[in-house]
Amino acid sequence: AQKVTQAQTEISVVEKEDVTLDCVYETRDTTYYLFWYKQPPSGELVFLIRRNSFDEQNEISGRYSWNFQKSTSSFNFTITASQVVDSAVYFCALSEAPQGGSEKLVFGKGTKLTVNP
Amino acid sequence: GAGVSQSPRYKVTKRGQDVALRCDPISGHVSLYWYRQALGQGPEFLTYFNYEAQQDKSGLPNDRFSAERPEGSISTLTIQRTEQRDSAMYRCASSLEGIVFGKETQYFGPGTRLLVL
């Protein structure tokens, strides 16, 4: 069965600090996808990144970076030099890839990040 | 281009009434998903359509919940005889049919906030 654990319920930092959001997943499949979504106070779900299980390269996009480690089943998200606009709930999600089936997303419970000025 | 749209954005109803929630996916997206998100939780999968075919309804909580997508575009999620425990944010997502790695990223609509009194 698929499962995603985000152990950090809430994190509070001061602007310009770096912050890492943890994500640990469980799956029996060898082919799967990992995602991060951002939910700002306005409520929408904004896609940030998709990573497939065959690509363990870390990715950097501006102040955002992601560290995928299959050995520890983790897909952690780091924000460098955090800003107030980064305040949001961040969700990690997993989907398996059954042939011809749905790639439903299984979400973690989310981590609420508050960046204080 | 236009994203996923949902209507109504807010719905207040009395217990026992039926409600219909509408989702208009991104043009050209063949996959459509419905999720439910309780306060303080991540979204939970309800059902999945590939074109007009409902291929996975394993997440529908009981037979009061149904969904359709008759022409492979707009979808309606119907809840009959609503109960207070049905109060939640109902989100729709759509994705393209992928070529190499299966279906592509799911993009979410703004959601319908349902409150059952």
Side-chain angles (χ1 to χ4, degrees):
Chain A
Q2 308 168 68
K3 185 178 179 182
V4 175
T5 301
Q6 295 180 255
Q8 305 149 308
T9 306
E10 292 193 42
I11 299 176
S12 182
V13 300
V14 176
E15 210 169 16
K16 297 184 183 176
E17 283 186 23
D18 298 348
V19 57
T20 295
L21 309 182
D22 297 335
C23 173
V24 174
Y25 62 91
E26 293 177 30
T27 177
R28 293 177 187 163
D29 278 16
T30 55
T31 303
Y32 53 89
Y33 306 95
L34 295 162
F35 302 80
W36 277 94
Y37 285 84
K38 174 182 180 179
Q39 186 175 355
S42 52
E44 70 269 31
L45 266 177
V46 179
F47 165 75
L48 294 178
I49 190 171
R50 166 189 169 111
R51 172 69 70 210
N52 75 62
S53 54
F54 299 113
D55 183 0
E56 284 193 76
Q57 277 195 325
N58 292 329
E59 180 153 341
I60 298 174
S61 175
R63 295 184 297 105
Y64 295 171
S65 62
W66 291 269
N67 183 2
F68 177 27
Q69 291 197 344
K70 288 177 78 170
S71 61
T72 56
S73 297
S74 65
F75 187 45
N76 296 337
F77 173 31
T78 297
I79 302 174
T80 303
S82 59
Q83 299 177 1
V84 173
V85 292
D86 296 327
S87 297
V89 180
Y90 291 87
F91 291 99
C92 181
L94 164 73
S95 74
E96 295 169 345
Q99 283 211 336
S102 73
E103 290 186 4
K104 59 187 177 187
L105 293 171
V106 173
F107 285 82
K109 292 189 175 181
T111 297
K112 182 179 181 181
L113 173 65
T114 301
V115 181
N116 298 299
Chain B
V4 178
S5 61
Q6 292 185 245
S7 61
R9 295 291 308 276
Y10 302 92
K11 178 69 177 178
V12 181
T13 190
K14 291 183 179 178
R15 187 178 52 186
Q17 297 293 306
D18 298 350
V19 295
L21 311 180
R22 172 184 164 129
C23 172
D24 198 344
I26 295 171
S27 178
H29 280 196
V30 303
S31 297
L32 187 146
Y33 301 78
W34 283 98
Y35 294 83
R36 179 169 69 174
Q37 184 176 11
L39 273 176
Q41 301 292 318
E44 291 186 327
F45 169 78
L46 294 176
T47 187
Y48 158 70
F49 289 86
N50 184 37
Y51 293 98
E52 72 280 1
Q54 188 175 20
Q55 295 195 337
D56 185 351
K57 52 182 181 179
S58 61
L60 295 177
N62 52 60
D63 60 8
R64 294 186 298 105
F65 287 73
S66 63
E68 62 174 10
R69 193 186 185 198
E71 296 178 359
S73 179
I74 293 169
S75 176
T76 302
L77 177 70
T78 301
I79 308 173
Q80 296 179 311
R81 306 180 303 281
T82 52
E83 301 178 4
Q84 288 183 329
R85 59 178 172 159
D86 299 334
S87 297
M89 175 73 85
Y90 289 83
R91 296 192 184 271
C92 173
S94 69
S95 68
L96 282 169
E97 186 77 21
I99 297 173
V100 176
F101 290 116
K103 302 170 185 62
E104 298 293 335
T105 297
Q106 294 178 34
Y107 294 94
F108 284 81
T112 294
R113 171 76 67 189
L114 175 66
L115 177 61
V116 182
L117 301 175

